[in-house]
Amino acid sequence: MTPSLRAIAPEFLKLRHSTIVWVTFAAFALGPVMGGLSLYLLGHAGDMGASPLSEKAKLMNFSADWPSYVGLLTQVVGVGGVVVFGFVASWLFGREYSNKTAKDLLALPASRSHIINAKFIVYAVWCLALVAANLLLGLVVGTLLGLDNFDIRVITPGLTTYFATTILVMLLGTPISFMGIWGKGYLAPIGLVVLMLIVSQIVGAVGLGQYFPWSVPGLYSGISAEMKASLNAVSFGLVGLVAVLGYVASHWWWNRADQS
């Protein structure tokens, strides 16, 4: 077995025996379910009367059809993904200290860099599995609710945006990962997630969200058509810069922090 596989295998073994994996899938699945219900109520407002969910969907210019539903699923990733993916990164990188297993991890016949890369690989697989599961659940929910206008040519642009938004949110996980090993637990990375969500709201309110990395995925997902149009190369470059800095910092700290 190669050093990389020796580092990755224990990470997937931990997931196999952890209930937190299913908690993240259940939490993330609330988006497709509640979103589908909102569009269903919107499409049947004449029969069932208006509801808070249908009124909110109407304010967001949604309609009871597949393009709107895919757009809603994309917004779930762009906003909710910041929280869920951040929690995933916090658990993967912070649990070793909370469970007192960091020293055992370093005893593996693999380099420290292989160990960190293994965690990032598991992080990517976990996040992609979450968005794939949500998309499949969305297909089931949308079919059961009988949403209109299902045409692969119509929804393909929405699916492209869906997965592009996923990549943007995933890139923002590297600073969270660094906080997990720097803070030696869950508190620091989760605190960073909460702080970034608050700041992104403030920055977005003053019209500068395109220059704040944690606001970019939500804007790109279409939560605001006007603000999405303001995104530019600098916006995406800042997301990439944050991702690279978080990745490099994680490697540096893991390799050097406990060395004299």
Side-chain angles (χ1 to χ4, degrees):
M1 184 181 292
T2 66
S4 297
L5 290 177
R6 283 197 292 266
I8 293 173
E11 296 298 328
F12 280 108
L13 186 61
K14 295 170 193 173
L15 297 189
R16 179 182 174 186
H17 295 284
S18 177
T19 57
I20 197 65
V21 176
W22 306 113
V23 172
T24 59
F25 275 90
F28 210 41
L30 291 176
V33 174
M34 297 305 295
L37 180 59
S38 299
L39 296 186
Y40 179 80
L41 293 175
L42 178 63
H44 293 77
D47 302 325
M48 306 174 62
S51 68
L53 287 176
S54 63
E55 289 300 312
K56 185 174 181 178
K58 187 184 300 183
L59 288 174
M60 298 174 72
N61 296 318
F62 283 142
S63 54
D65 56 25
W66 279 99
S68 290
Y69 191 36
V70 173
L72 190 148
L73 293 178
T74 303
Q75 293 182 22
V76 168
V77 175
V79 180
V82 173
V83 177
V84 177
F85 292 6
F87 185 84
V88 168
S90 300
W91 187 86
L92 283 171
F93 288 82
R95 71 177 296 276
E96 307 296 350
Y97 296 98
S98 298
N99 293 353
K100 311 296 183 183
T101 57
K103 61 182 184 300
D104 301 321
L105 196 63
L106 295 175
L108 288 174
S111 71
R112 294 188 175 201
S113 293
H114 282 131
I115 293 171
I116 283 292
N117 285 333
K119 286 184 173 293
F120 277 118
I121 290 171
V122 173
Y123 165 76
V125 171
W126 191 341
C127 293
L128 289 173
L130 283 168
V131 298
N134 259 23
L135 185 58
L136 292 174
L137 177 60
L139 290 173
V140 173
V141 171
T143 301
L144 292 176
L145 296 179
L147 297 180
D148 299 327
N149 200 21
F150 182 82
D151 187 330
I152 191 64
R153 293 171 296 180
V154 174
I155 66 175
T156 294
L159 292 176
T160 301
T161 304
Y162 179 80
F163 286 108
T165 302
T166 297
I167 299 301
L168 289 173
V169 180
M170 286 173 58
L171 290 174
L172 295 174
T174 61
I176 310 301
S177 305
F178 167 71
M179 292 299 291
I181 59 178
W182 176 77
K184 297 185 177 181
Y186 305 121
L187 188 58
I190 291 177
L192 180 62
V193 172
V194 174
L195 177 62
M196 292 301 99
L197 286 173
I198 294 173
V199 175
S200 66
Q201 293 296 316
I202 298 172
V203 173
V206 300
L208 296 175
Q210 67 270 33
Y211 299 117
F212 187 66
W214 273 267
S215 297
V216 172
L219 296 178
Y220 183 77
S221 71
I223 199 168
S224 170
E226 180 180 351
M227 289 299 295
K228 181 178 181 179
S230 69
L231 295 176
N232 50 45
V234 174
S235 306
F236 301 111
L238 288 172
V239 174
L241 178 61
V242 166
V244 170
L245 290 176
Y247 179 79
V248 172
S250 298
H251 270 275
W252 178 84
W253 189 266
W254 184 252
N255 281 285
R256 306 292 182 186
D258 64 342
Q259 306 296 314
S260 59

